[in-house]
Amino acid sequence: MEFSSRMRQKYARLAGDRRELYPHSLQFYLEPPTESISLVEFESFAIDRLRLLKIVENLGVSYLKNADSYKTKLENELRKLKFPYKALAEDDYEARRKDHISHFILRLAYCQSEDLRRWFLQQEMDLFRYRFTQLTESLMQKFLEHVNLSFEAISEDLKKELENELCASTPGLSLPKVKEQMFYKVGLADAVDLFRTRRVFIKDGFAYVPFKEIDVIVLNNFRTKLSKALALTARSLPSIQSDERLQPLLNHLSHSYVGPDYSVQKNTGKISLEQIDALSVKSFPLCMRQLHRALRDSHHLRHGGRMQYGLFLKGIGLTLEQALEFWKKEFIRGKVDADKFDKGYAYSIRHNYGKEGKRTDYTPYSCMKIIMSNPPSQGDYHGCPFRHSDPELLKQKLQSYKIPPSGITQILELVKGMHFQLACQKYFELTHDVDDIGFSLNHPNQYFTESQKLLNGGRELKKELSNSGNSQQKNNTQESMNSNSTPTSSNTTDDTELEGLEAYFTED
Ligand code: SF4
């Protein structure tokens, strides 16, 4: 589905102004929207929120969440994408409406699996935390009342009576600070996070929470509500799945990549087959480097690998003729003879280039698609190594690619936090000797393009490889060339979405 062009279309508003629905710049998203909206607006809102949540994820691992730089960058992005960015901004009805509707659309798309739910919840929590902490004290109070979370402030007399305990049990609060702060009496269930980390005074089944920690309570409440809501939404999936307009859209969103789809190959014909070995070391993301290595070693890739790698190679510029040659040369070095290749595999390559079947020009897979769908089984090499590899194996692989130990630790930390694309960005930085990748990685072909730009000083892909690059790349290139004396390979694919192609892949 082409989101980018549609986004430029004018929104078709189907409902009138409902300003009273959004008294605050932030929401708990308790009530789903009830107005009718056009599909154009539906798509556009959803894509913008997805962009926003990806930015939230990116900033969350690059900056301290309470740092000014984090707040400034997030505010800028919210402003750019036309979401509410300021607690007291007047006349931001459109932004608040967009915030409300887009949250519920992505909730539908991201309730579909445990992984998706976890990712969505985390980003929404971070976004909410930022917005809540931007509120003034009086706006916080108003908001809490609005969402029925107004906690009872303890009296000055009780505070005086408990001041020593409050001071001793609340890290960071001296006695004079205790006197200044308002304390709230909160049920233990709401204060679990503070209780668990020993940051609050407990008495008779209540936590005495200082105002400065109230965001933890609110966040906890928001998480519980959203988590339940996601589980409930997931249960209603069968009815959503029967809606033929919505289902493809939601599926697309949950695998979505917000950027060019790399279906138009600017570089078509600019790559020679002889370059692929070296390019795989210098400019391929880890997923494609792994597939290339496996293809070279076993002279075969199973269905999922041929799909993922074949479309990637198409995206970086291999022509149909080159693809046929690349895959054929490699396959006939294994167990497939030329005749079998022509009958069984060549069709699918032509299919991917839109020369067979429905004549659709298939696009390379985005990271989200690779990460979220069709996980590899034993004997498969497709998927995202940051998502699908055992951490110990990933570590060994990174060591063999000469990534420094500190870099490996950083990557593994990101993987542990389920930030797979950010782990890949870190891999890019480490293999290209740059401190900041300067873009948000969403697509393997984007990785390739950015790598080439960097290595070639911003110029288009060169026909011949430059010998420049950092020493690690040079070493790895040498290593690769030494272990791969065969000069060429080839490119094939078919697509799980392609009709009637499975028959051509019985020898998977
Ligand atoms: Fe490939 Fe994307 Fe995973 Fe990187 S994050 S290895 S580009 S799928």
Side-chain angles (χ1 to χ4, degrees), residues 380-491:
D380 283 333
Y381 292 91
H382 67 268
C384 170
F386 299 106
R387 167 68 182 90
H388 298 118
S389 287
D390 175 83
E392 197 46 44
L393 285 180
L394 177 62
K395 185 176 170 185
Q396 285 171 21
K397 183 162 290 173
L398 295 171
Q399 280 167 341
S400 73
Y401 291 161
K402 308 279 189 292
I403 305 295
S406 61
I408 294 179
T409 308
Q410 283 174 292
I411 289 175
L412 292 178
E413 272 302 308
L414 288 165
V415 167
K416 202 166 146 200
M418 304 189 69
H419 303 295
F420 310 117
Q421 286 156 268
L422 298 178
C424 190
Q425 285 184 199
K426 181 52 70 184
Y427 172 79
F428 184 105
E429 287 165 8
L430 292 162
T431 50
H432 291 76
D433 268 351
V434 289
D435 288 336
D436 184 355
I437 186 172
F439 61 93
S440 173
L441 176 77
N442 287 306
H443 202 293
N445 289 77
Q446 177 196 19
Y447 184 112
F448 176 80
T449 307
E450 294 293 338
S451 167
Q452 282 294 295
K453 255 196 243 164
L454 197 69
L455 297 177
N456 296 332
R459 278 166 289 144
E460 293 289 309
L461 192 72
K462 291 177 180 176
K463 185 78 184 178
E464 293 305 322
L465 274 182
S466 150
N467 284 330
S468 64
N470 64 29
S471 57
Q472 190 244 325
Q473 286 158 352
K474 281 185 206 160
N475 290 341
N476 284 349
T477 307
Q478 194 60 49
E479 195 181 274
S480 161
M481 298 312 267
N482 288 344
S483 59
N484 290 290
S485 48
T486 333
T488 59
S489 47
S490 48
N491 158 4

